[in-house]
């Protein structure tokens, strides 16, 4: 796998802002995206392209690599732009790149089965669902966990995924593996959030490492990282009432 060169990303990032301008309809065909994906090279080596999509800007394509990095290219792969693409509308600037990121997060999280999540549900009607990348060694994760009963009262399900913030070789990763391997993962999560030691092993087929890499690919940089149903990423601790308001559920 050939990663997108950092020196290119750094030099091109400064070029992104001038492209915040009028966006024109794109008429390129699917053949153009396929052709671009096949010809993209850096230093005569093919780039690990995952997808190429048209943008509303004439002649500009969004390229996503297998590494999770994304940038923009002309139809020939001769010029690259690194940064966010905005549409200048009557309602103001719309960040098309962030919209694309949100859609990708929502799509990829939808592929994580409930059997691989630690879920906290209330007894009443479910009105919304949030996914939270968590680490039991994180103080703000414990603070957010204290809000879970109130979130459940408000009809908000909390679906935990694992994100050992100091990496897979740390004790935090082992604790998360213990939680996912426990007979009752929700009770194990409660205990770990209270900083109680878990006694069960980690010898099950747990998804902790896969979820850690998924979080990195989706832009998670720390914990807690809350993903709203539309894919928006909210970093850090958010009180229950404020989170409900962000979900349009304020009472």
């Amino acid at each position: 796998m050939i990663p997108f060169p950092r020196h290119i990303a750094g030099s091109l990032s400064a070029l992104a802002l001038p492209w915040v301008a009028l966006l024109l309809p794109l008429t390129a065909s699917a053949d153009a995206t396929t052709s671009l994906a096949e010809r993209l090279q850096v230093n005569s080596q093919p780039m690990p392209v995952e997808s190429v999509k048209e943008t509303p800007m004439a002649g500009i394509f969004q390229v996503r690599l297998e590494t999770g990095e994304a940038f923009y290219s002309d139809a020939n792969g001769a010029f690259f732009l690194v940064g966010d693409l905005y549409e200048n509308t009557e309602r103001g600037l719309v960040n098309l790149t962030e919209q694309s990121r949100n859609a990708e997060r929502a799509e990829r999280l939808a592929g994580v089965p409930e059997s691989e999540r630690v879920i906290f549900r209330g007894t009443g009607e479910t009105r919304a669902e949030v996914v939270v990348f968590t680490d039991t060694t994180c103080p703000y994760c414990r603070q957010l966990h204290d809000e879970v009963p109130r979130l459940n009262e408000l009809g908000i399900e909390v679906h935990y995924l694992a994100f050992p913030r100091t990496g897979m070789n740390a004790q935090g990763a082992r604790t998360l593996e213990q939680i996912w391997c426990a007979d009752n993962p929700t009770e194990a999560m409660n205990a770990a959030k209270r900083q109680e030691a878990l006694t069960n092993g980690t010898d099950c087929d747990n998804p902790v490492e896969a979820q850690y890499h998924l979080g990195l690919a989706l832009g998670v940089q720390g914990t807690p990282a809350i993903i709203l149903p539309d894919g928006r990423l909210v970093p850090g601790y958010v009180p229950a009432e404020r989170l409900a308001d962000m979900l349009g559920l304020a009472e």
Side-chain angles (χ1 to χ4, degrees):
M1 183 179 296
I2 308 298
F4 191 53
R6 292 186 177 180
H7 70 281
I8 295 180
S11 62
L12 289 179
S13 61
L15 300 178
L17 291 179
W19 290 90
V20 180
L22 295 175
L23 300 181
L24 305 175
L26 184 63
T27 58
S29 66
D31 291 341
T33 61
T34 301
S35 176
L36 177 59
E38 292 173 349
R39 72 161 60 99
L40 278 173
Q41 295 185 354
V42 171
N43 297 329
S44 300
Q45 299 184 65
M47 302 183 76
V49 176
E50 180 179 285
S51 65
V52 175
K53 297 180 181 178
E54 300 177 12
T55 75
M57 192 170 188
I60 300 297
F61 297 79
Q62 184 185 59
V63 180
R64 185 169 299 279
L65 303 181
E66 294 173 359
T67 59
E69 296 164 292
F71 60 99
Y72 295 93
S73 172
D74 70 325
N76 297 316
F79 298 92
F80 297 156
L81 293 171
V82 178
D84 286 3
L85 182 65
Y86 290 80
E87 182 177 6
N88 189 11
T89 73
E90 293 180 355
R91 296 172 286 107
L93 294 178
V94 177
N95 190 328
L96 300 181
T97 303
E98 187 60 27
Q99 287 184 349
S100 177
R101 291 191 194 107
N102 293 343
E104 181 190 4
R105 288 190 196 102
E107 179 181 357
R108 294 193 65 175
L109 289 176
V112 179
E114 287 197 357
S115 60
E116 295 183 1
R117 307 177 181 204
V118 178
I119 302 175
F120 287 80
R121 293 186 173 98
T123 57
E125 175 189 2
T126 296
R127 304 169 66 197
E129 170 191 311
V130 294
V131 174
V132 180
F133 284 90
T134 193
D135 182 348
T136 60
T137 69
C138 160
Y140 290 107
C141 293
R142 293 194 290 270
Q143 189 174 0
L144 178 62
H145 192 69
D146 289 340
E147 300 274 350
V148 168
R150 177 56 180 156
L151 288 169
N152 289 165
E153 288 178 4
L154 293 168
I156 302 170
E157 290 186 9
V158 177
H159 292 225
Y160 279 125
L161 298 185
F163 191 84
R165 58 194 178 122
T166 52
M168 286 304 302
N169 294 323
Q171 177 58 40
R174 174 176 169 78
T175 300
L176 290 168
E177 289 176 332
Q178 287 178 288
I179 292 171
W180 262 260
C181 288
D183 292 335
N184 189 329
T186 56
E187 286 304 315
M189 181 70 77
N190 285 333
K193 295 286 188 179
R194 293 192 297 265
Q195 296 184 277
E196 298 175 7
L198 303 181
T199 59
N200 64 287
T202 61
D203 55 350
C204 72
D205 185 19
N206 68 78
V208 171
E209 184 169 5
Q211 291 181 4
Y212 172 62
H213 290 293
L214 173 63
L216 291 174
L218 298 185
V220 175
Q221 298 179 346
T223 54
I226 305 168
I227 314 294
L228 304 185
D230 62 2
R232 282 179 293 162
L233 189 157
V234 181
Y237 163 74
V238 177
E241 305 298 335
R242 182 181 167 199
L243 185 55
D245 185 56
M246 296 173 71
L247 293 165
L249 303 176
E251 295 183 342

